[in-house]
Amino acid sequence: MSSPEPPAPAVRATRPTADDIAALVGELRATFEAGTTRPVAARLAQLKALSEGLRAHRGALLEALDTDLGKSAAEAQLTELGVVQQEIGHHRRKLRSWLRPERFSPGVMLAPSRGEIHREPLGVTLVISPWNYPLNLALAPVVAAIAGGNTVVLKPSEVAPATSAAIASLVAEHLDPAWVRVVEGGVEETTALLAQRFDLILYTGNATVGRIVARAAAENLTPTVLELGGKSPVFVDEGADLEVAARGIVWGKFTNAGQTCVAPDYLMATPRTLSRLLPLLRREIRRMYGADPSRSRDYGRIVAARHFDRVAGLIDEEKVLLGGLETADRGARYLPPTLMTGVGWEDAVMQEEIFGPVLPLLEVAGPAEAVERVRAGEKPLTAYVYTRRTEVEEAFTELTSSGSLAINLTLAHVGSPTMPFGGVGESGMGQYHGRAGLEAFTHAKPVIRKPLRPDTLRVAHPPLRGLRAALLRRMMR
Ligand code: NAD
């Protein structure tokens, strides 16, 4: 009697070798070359399948997000599954109209003629995603890649292993494996992937690895969208609605335990505003997460001990006003919401992106100094201002540079499928979300058409003398 077959593993072990990766990319290229991904109906069908997959795997995905980051189901719905579903819905409604060729006039020199911009797929694309919103930041770019008519390899973050495995299983079960593939793994697998030739790489994560990705991409002249981070400032103006500001800042900072690329990194205000804002910040922290945030279902955990140690190292206990290391628990990866006052610009906490639940409060003389401070640093992913004054809004709009600028709100703007999302300078390059995603994952190809006769361009052909030369001189003046 033969022994019974061992049960099939829930998730296929996907630790491929460099040869496997080369073969996989070859298969995806064959799919692209066969034209499978071009018809809009086929793209819409893959997007629908992804949406259904998200629904079918909802339980497993929520569990994975809880395991990796202590995310509650409600928060995961809001910031992960919901964002991807919204992105899919928006693409499904708009894709046909976005793909309609856009007319342009080629100008008098080429008359008579007609011009059209066609959005053509790029080919085989690679998405490399980070651990902090491990579902959203993996699948939202995949939506754009599919919508653009590309095949795609997705490499989720190994730092959120449960979510990585759950995504691999969702994609394998619901999407066409000749179109979308997941490669799980860390540096080794990503390095093997980067040795392959892609037609676009979208990477989300820190700028050090961003440089590695850009360098590898340059070998093949592969364009990159780099979604990086930075120290996103928040300035609270005198006369702003401090209650709304405190609510927005606490929510923006402590959602996902501060591990959000667009979290307000540090807060600037005049001493007078700071002293009035402080009690409101404390009150909002208590209101949102209770007297003991470690018991709140709405408060997340630091992803790993290594990250816990890094953020804990930025806390100066002497400057802690609330939270700090006293109630922190490394074993449980719990760091409480922490406010630090009396922070100087030279302090350790101001030398790198905090990416954790620590909010330093810094005194400035007014909006002019706040603008100067932002200008003195690297360009952040986003900047926040709470104000009632138009001139302060204008100063930030005109004089500072950041991926985006949000006035009187935090965080929520990045969930909008109609807002292009991305950084500038050290916070990244390129944008996606909604139409911007389609634009990133396609080539805008101008197609220009002239009737054969009259052959008006003869005027530019040599010999360029006499009447022709005179005519050209007139036209090109
Ligand atoms: P991470 O450690 O998960 O790394 C990101 C990806 O890079 C992973 O898939 C990882 O496998 C890969 N990687 C790591 N080392 C590599 C190497 N040597 N070679 C090739 N690939 C490598 O995530 P992280 O970098 O810690 O993410 C946090 C950073 O990302 C923060 O700076 C944050 O602001 C930024 N971020 C930006 C956005 C955005 O949309 N702009 C979103 C989230 C996070």
Side-chain angles (χ1 to χ4, degrees):
M1 233 174 83
S2 60
S3 56
E5 292 254 332
V11 177
R12 233 170 350 114
T14 40
R15 285 269 159 165
T17 63
D19 286 346
D20 295 337
I21 284 174
L24 180 154
V25 174
E27 284 169 34
L28 292 187
R29 188 158 300 282
T31 306
F32 181 74
E33 294 302 337
T36 313
T37 63
R38 281 185 179 259
V40 185
R43 304 184 202 182
L44 292 171
Q46 282 300 294
L47 292 178
K48 181 162 180 260
L50 180 56
S51 173
E52 286 164 359
L54 277 166
R55 268 195 292 277
H57 287 243
R58 185 181 147 82
L61 293 168
L62 291 177
E63 200 180 314
L65 289 163
D66 189 17
T67 305
D68 287 332
L69 287 150
K71 258 182 218 196
S72 70
E75 185 179 321
Q77 182 59 38
L78 183 70
T79 64
E80 304 259 17
L81 287 93
V83 174
V84 181
Q85 287 287 22
Q86 202 179 321
E87 194 68 15
I88 294 173
H90 190 57
H91 274 82
R92 287 179 65 196
R93 280 189 300 278
K94 300 279 186 180
L95 188 58
R96 283 190 193 278
S97 78
W98 290 341
L99 288 173
R100 222 168 276 141
E102 251 172 76
R103 292 247 176 106
F104 71 94
S105 164
V108 64
M109 278 291 289
L110 296 179
S113 70
R114 281 191 297 134
E116 280 177 347
I117 307 279
H118 287 247
R119 294 236 148 244
E120 85 181 5
L122 294 172
V124 185
T125 61
L126 172 64
V127 171
I128 304 173
S129 57
W131 52 264
N132 61 331
Y133 288 86
L135 181 83
N136 172 347
L137 299 172
L139 293 182
V142 168
V143 171
I146 294 172
N150 308 283
T151 55
V152 49
V153 182
L154 166 63
K155 212 300 288 171
S157 177
E158 74 283 15
V159 185
T163 312
S164 173
I167 291 172
S169 142
L170 181 165
V171 168
E173 274 177 40
H174 289 268
L175 297 185
D176 179 353
W179 191 327
V180 183
R181 291 286 272 274
V182 173
V183 170
E184 286 193 86
V187 175
E188 198 182 318
E189 289 78 6
T190 318
T191 306
L193 277 167
L194 289 173
Q196 298 298 312
R197 179 182 184 143
F198 289 95
D199 299 290
L200 179 80
I201 301 175
L202 185 147
Y203 162 83
T204 307
N206 68 75
T208 305
V209 175
R211 285 173 167 80
I212 295 174
V213 170
R215 239 177 257 130
E219 275 308 312
N220 293 307
L221 290 181
T222 298
T224 52
V225 174
L226 301 179
E227 296 279 340
L228 313 177
K231 288 184 87 61
S232 297
V234 54
F235 172 67
V236 182
D237 194 16
E238 299 220 327
D241 185 329
L242 297 186
E243 288 206 358
V244 173
R247 272 199 292 275
I249 292 165
V250 166
W251 180 60
K253 181 70 188 191
F254 299 112
T255 292
N256 204 26
Q259 301 162 111
T260 303
C261 55
V262 290
D265 187 275
Y266 61 98
L267 189 159
M268 295 177 285
T270 60
R272 206 166 78 112
T273 303
L274 273 184
S275 66
R276 292 171 53 209
L277 189 59
L278 258 170
L280 300 177
L281 290 170
R282 300 175 75 129
R283 189 182 75 188
E284 288 307 327
I285 290 172
R286 202 184 166 99
R287 199 141 56 187
M288 289 187 209
Y289 304 110
D292 178 2
S294 73
R295 301 163 70 100
S296 163
R297 190 60 198 94
D298 292 310
Y299 191 70
R301 295 294 178 269
I302 304 298
V303 71
R306 178 167 64 89
H307 290 266
F308 178 97
D309 293 340
R310 187 189 60 76
V311 182
L314 299 175
I315 298 175
D316 178 345
E317 283 292 342
E318 297 200 339
K319 296 181 176 172
V320 166
L321 188 81
L322 182 81
L325 297 175
E326 211 171 292
T327 59
D329 180 349
R330 188 177 187 273
R333 295 179 280 121
Y334 168 72
L335 254 186
T338 297
L339 299 177
M340 278 169 66
T341 50
V343 175
W345 297 94
E346 306 308 321
D347 289 6
V349 75
M350 291 307 294
Q351 305 315 308
E352 61 183 82
E353 179 183 0
I354 299 168
F355 218 56
V358 179
L359 182 65
L361 310 176
L362 289 110
E363 293 182 357
V364 288
E369 186 186 345
V371 164
E372 274 319 303
R373 293 290 181 182
V374 177
R375 289 172 64 103
E378 296 288 358
K379 294 179 180 177
L381 186 56
T382 193
Y384 298 107
V385 184
Y386 281 88
T387 185
R388 290 189 211 263
R389 295 192 286 175
T390 325
E391 64 267 32
V392 174
E393 289 181 14
E394 279 172 2
F396 272 83
T397 309
E398 301 298 328
L399 302 176
T400 69
S401 178
S402 50
S404 56
L405 170 66
I407 299 167
N408 296 333
L409 79 158
T410 66
L411 227 59
H413 60 314
V414 300
S416 160
T418 50
M419 189 194 87
F421 175 57
V424 57
E426 191 69 15
S427 57
M429 60 177 88
Q431 297 176 320
Y432 75 118
H433 284 188
R435 192 186 170 122
L438 181 79
E439 289 174 358
F441 277 89
T442 51
H443 166 56
K445 181 169 78 179
V447 175
I448 180 159
R449 216 178 259 112
K450 243 181 111 45
L452 286 168
R453 284 173 190 277
D455 188 5
T456 54
L457 287 177
R458 279 184 66 187
V459 70
H461 300 173
L464 295 176
R465 280 186 283 281
L467 193 60
R468 282 188 189 187
L471 204 62
L472 273 180
R473 260 201 314 276
R474 251 187 106 83
M475 291 171 86
M476 300 301 287
R477 239 193 334 225

